[in-house]
Amino acid sequence: MYKENIWIDSIPGSISTNTITFESENQDSSKVTIKNDISDKTHLGLFTLLSNSSFIFNKIELNIEGDSRYTGILSGGQTNKVEIKNCSFIGSINPSCIINRSNRLDSIIVINNKFSNTFHIGIRNESTGNGIISNNIFEGLIEHTISGNFKNITSSNNYFNKVINGIYVHAMENGLVNGNKIIKSETGIRVDGGSVNIRNNQVNFGSSFGIWSTSKYSEIVNNWIYNIADHDNNSGIGLSIECFFSKSIHNTIYLSKGNLLTKAFLSNGGDSLHISSNIFSTIQGSYPVELKLRPRALNMNYNDYFSQQSFFGKIENTEVKNINEWRNFTNGESRGLFGNPYFKNDSSLIPGLILLNASGEESTNIDTDIDGVSRSKPRPDIGAKEFDPCDSDIGLLNFTEPNSPLDVGIRNVKLVLQNNGKSTISQTKISWKINNGIIKDTIWKGTLMSGQTDTVIIGNYDFKTLIVTGK
C-alpha cells in the first residue's frame, strides 16, 4: 500500500498527445493500493492532475478517506484526457471518487471499474468535455453516482446497487443512457440538455422518479421501471415542460406502492409528444397517467393502463374515470386499452395478458426489445419485453359488478374471464370469497378461444353497511 497524495503540475515539454499511465505491474488491482493522506490539507486529491497531458489509470486500487472535499482523482488545469479502467475505488466517511474541472478536457472515459462503500460523488464532470462511462459497478451509499455537464455523454451497461441517486447528467448536444441496471436506488435517471436517448434500462427506484427528462429532444424506449417504496409524488416516467418532439415508446412501468400523488406516467406540458405502446400499471390508490399541463400537441395511442383500484388518470386537475373519457380528453388512444398486464412477478415485468401480444404500434423503427430480442412484425408487443402467450392460461380481466361506490343489499358478483393462452378453453373452476367468508367454487363451461372474453355471474352477496364509532 502506498499512502500519499500525488500532485502533477505542468510538465516541461509536454503536449496534449502525451500520455502518462499509472498501472499495476502484475495486472492485478488488488496488489497495488494507493491511499490518500488525510493529514495533507493542501492537496485534497489523491491524484491532482493539472498538466497538459492525457492520463490513464489501469488496474489499481484507490482507497479514499475523508469528507466530500477529498477526491480520488481530481482533474483540472490543462488536462486533455482522463481514462480510468479496471480500477477499484473504496470510500470511507464521505469522499468523492472522480471529479473533472479542466475546461480543456476533451473526454473522460471510465470503463470496467468498481466503486464501493460510501461516497459523496462517484463521477462528476464540471466542464464541457465528452464522457464515456460504461460497464462499471457502483455499490453502497453513493449520493451523486454519475452527474455533471457533458458535451456528449454515453452511460451504458453500468450496474448500480443501493446507491442514493443514479444518473443525473446534462448533455449539451447528445446523450445516450443505455442498458444500465439500477437496483434499490432512491432516484433513477435524470437528464436534461439537447438530445437524449434513454433505452433498455432497468430502474428500481425508491422515491421521486424512475426516469425524468427535461431534455428538448428525448427518446425513452424499452425501459423497465418499478418502485420499492411508498413516497408522495412518485412518477415512473416524467417529461417536463421543456420537452419538445419527445417520445416514450415500449416502456413498462409498474408501481406497486404509492398514493393519489403517484403516477406511472407524468407530463408537465411540452410540445409534440409521442407516447405509444407503453404499459402504465399501478397497484395501490394511484394513477396510471397524469397530464399536469396539456401538451401543445399529443399523439397518445396503443398504451395499456391499469390500476387495481380502478383509478385511471388526471388532466390538469380533472379526474378521468375510464379509458373512454381519456379518449375524449386526449383525442387519442383509439387502440389503447385498460387491462391488468399480469406480470410474471414484481421485478420481472414480463406480461401475460394476451391483448398486449402483437398489439403495439407499427413502424416505430424500434427493432428489438429490452433484451435485444427482435420485435414481432408487423405489430410488436406492447411494453418493453416481447413475450409468447402460454398454451393454456385463463384469468380474470376485471369485475363489472357490484358497482363502485357499493350499494347495500343483495348484489350479483360478476366478472370478465379472459383467455390469455393460445388454446381454446372449455371449462374452468373459479374460487372466490368476500372478506373472511367461506371459499365458494363456481364451475364455468363454454367455448373461449384465444383472446376471447366472457362475462360470468359467479354468485351473489348481501352487502351491509358497517358503522364505525370512535373518538
Side-chain angles (χ1 to χ4, degrees):
M1 175 183 288
Y2 302 90
K3 186 175 182 180
E4 59 182 312
N5 297 344
I6 301 169
W7 177 285
I8 302 178
D9 207 335
S10 60
I11 300 175
S14 67
I15 58 176
S16 59
T17 56
N18 290 151
T19 298
I20 300 171
T21 300
F22 296 88
E23 184 175 51
S24 171
E25 185 177 7
N26 59 11
Q27 302 296 296
D28 185 348
S29 62
S30 66
K31 302 296 184 182
V32 178
T33 300
I34 305 176
K35 181 177 175 59
N36 66 324
D37 182 0
I38 198 170
S39 65
D40 186 346
K41 306 299 183 183
T42 303
H43 305 136
L44 299 180
L46 197 163
F47 285 91
T48 302
L49 314 177
L50 301 175
S51 172
N52 179 25
S53 301
S54 296
F55 294 87
I56 296 175
F57 295 84
N58 185 34
K59 297 181 179 178
I60 58 176
E61 179 180 294
L62 288 81
N63 196 314
I64 312 153
E65 182 182 3
D67 57 33
S68 60
R69 297 173 299 165
Y70 294 87
T71 304
I73 297 175
L74 177 62
S75 172
Q78 304 298 309
T79 303
N80 181 60
K81 179 180 178 181
V82 176
E83 182 175 354
I84 304 160
K85 54 188 180 180
N86 308 310
C87 293
S88 176
F89 291 79
I90 300 175
S92 177
I93 305 178
N94 198 30
S96 301
C97 288
I98 302 167
I99 297 178
N100 172 61
R101 292 176 179 151
S102 170
N103 291 324
R104 294 193 56 179
L105 188 81
D106 176 72
S107 60
I108 179 170
I109 301 170
V110 185
I111 298 176
N112 200 35
N113 303 281
K114 183 175 181 180
F115 302 80
S116 57
N117 291 6
T118 302
F119 286 102
H120 175 63
I121 292 172
I123 302 167
R124 183 193 293 274
N125 187 41
E126 298 181 358
S127 70
T128 57
N130 301 305
I132 299 174
I133 303 170
S134 299
N135 299 102
N136 300 285
I137 297 173
F138 301 91
E139 292 184 315
L141 297 176
I142 304 176
E143 187 171 352
H144 304 285
T145 310
I146 299 175
S147 61
N149 302 313
F150 296 87
K151 182 179 181 181
N152 299 286
I153 171 71
T154 296
S155 175
S156 61
N157 302 313
N158 298 292
Y159 177 80
F160 305 77
N161 183 30
K162 297 181 180 179
V163 301
I164 298 175
N165 297 296
I167 300 171
Y168 181 12
V169 294
H170 176 89
M172 297 177 62
E173 294 184 4
N174 297 290
L176 173 63
V177 182
N178 176 64
N180 300 283
K181 190 172 184 179
I182 302 175
I183 304 298
K184 297 181 180 179
S185 169
E186 287 299 304
T187 63
I189 299 168
R190 180 171 178 174
V191 295
D192 55 47
S195 176
V196 180
N197 192 323
I198 306 171
R199 58 175 59 214
N200 306 320
N201 301 285
Q202 181 176 335
V203 181
N204 177 215
F205 73 103
S207 65
S208 190
F209 56 84
I211 295 176
W212 182 264
S213 176
T214 60
S215 292
K216 187 172 183 180
Y217 307 104
S218 302
E219 189 167 301
I220 304 173
V221 175
N222 284 344
N223 299 284
W224 267 2
I225 303 168
Y226 54 104
N227 67 347
I228 56 174
D230 185 357
H231 287 271
D232 291 346
N233 291 311
N234 269 355
S235 57
I237 290 179
L239 301 179
S240 75
I241 195 172
E242 291 88 355
C243 292
F244 285 23
F245 302 101
S246 294
K247 300 177 181 180
S248 176
I249 303 175
H250 283 303
N251 299 288
T252 296
I253 304 171
Y254 174 62
L255 304 186
S256 61
K257 300 181 182 297
N259 52 43
L260 287 176
L261 297 174
T262 304
K263 39 270 171 185
F265 178 82
L266 171 68
S267 173
N268 281 336
D271 194 355
S272 302
L273 305 184
H274 185 175
I275 315 299
S276 172
S277 307
N278 304 283
I279 299 174
F280 301 135
S281 178
T282 64
I283 292 297
Q284 294 183 356
S286 51
Y287 294 106
V289 62
E290 180 179 357
L291 304 181
K292 188 162 286 187
L293 293 174
R294 189 187 296 268
R296 283 183 285 274
L298 176 64
N299 179 8
M300 204 166 192
N301 208 354
Y302 300 92
N303 299 292
D304 175 43
Y305 304 85
F306 180 71
S307 171
Q308 197 173 61
Q309 298 187 14
S310 298
F311 295 102
F312 191 89
K314 292 178 72 175
I315 297 181
E316 296 179 336
N317 294 320
T318 299
E319 185 168 339
V320 181
K321 297 179 180 179
N322 54 58
I323 193 166
N324 289 325
E325 287 188 4
W326 187 258
R327 288 169 177 151
N328 293 332
F329 274 105
T330 62
N331 194 29
E333 288 298 2
S334 62
R335 303 295 292 272
L337 69 148
F338 183 91
N340 190 337
Y342 292 111
F343 293 124
K344 184 177 180 180
N345 56 53
D346 285 356
S347 60
S348 182
L349 305 184
I350 301 173
L353 182 63
I354 197 168
L355 297 178
L356 306 180
N357 186 247
S359 299
E361 181 182 1
E362 301 178 48
S363 65
T364 59
N365 296 320
I366 299 169
D367 297 325
T368 58
D369 72 0
I370 187 173
D371 293 327
V373 176
S374 296
R375 288 279 179 185
S376 56
K377 302 291 184 180
R379 299 284 300 279
D381 296 347
I382 292 175
K385 177 64 180 171
E386 289 284 312
F387 72 100
D388 291 322
C390 298
D391 287 332
S392 180
D393 183 9
I394 191 167
L396 168 65
L397 185 61
N398 55 49
F399 282 94
T400 59
E401 292 184 20
N403 296 320
S404 180
L406 185 65
D407 293 327
V408 298
I410 298 175
R411 297 287 182 265
N412 286 332
V413 179
K414 186 185 293 187
L415 54 80
V416 179
L417 284 180
Q418 170 87 57
N419 185 353
N420 290 313
K422 300 176 183 177
S423 303
T424 299
I425 301 294
S426 59
Q427 179 175 316
T428 191
K429 181 174 74 171
I430 305 169
S431 298
W432 62 285
K433 74 174 184 177
I434 295 179
N435 297 329
N436 295 318
I438 63 172
I439 297 175
K440 300 180 180 180
D441 294 330
T442 299
I443 302 299
W444 174 89
K445 294 182 179 181
T447 301
L448 206 58
M449 299 178 67
S450 178
Q452 288 185 334
T453 61
D454 190 22
T455 301
V456 183
I457 297 176
I458 59 175
N460 57 52
Y461 187 80
D462 188 3
F463 293 94
K464 300 180 183 299
T465 301
L466 177 65
I467 300 175
V468 179
T469 60
K471 294 182 180 180

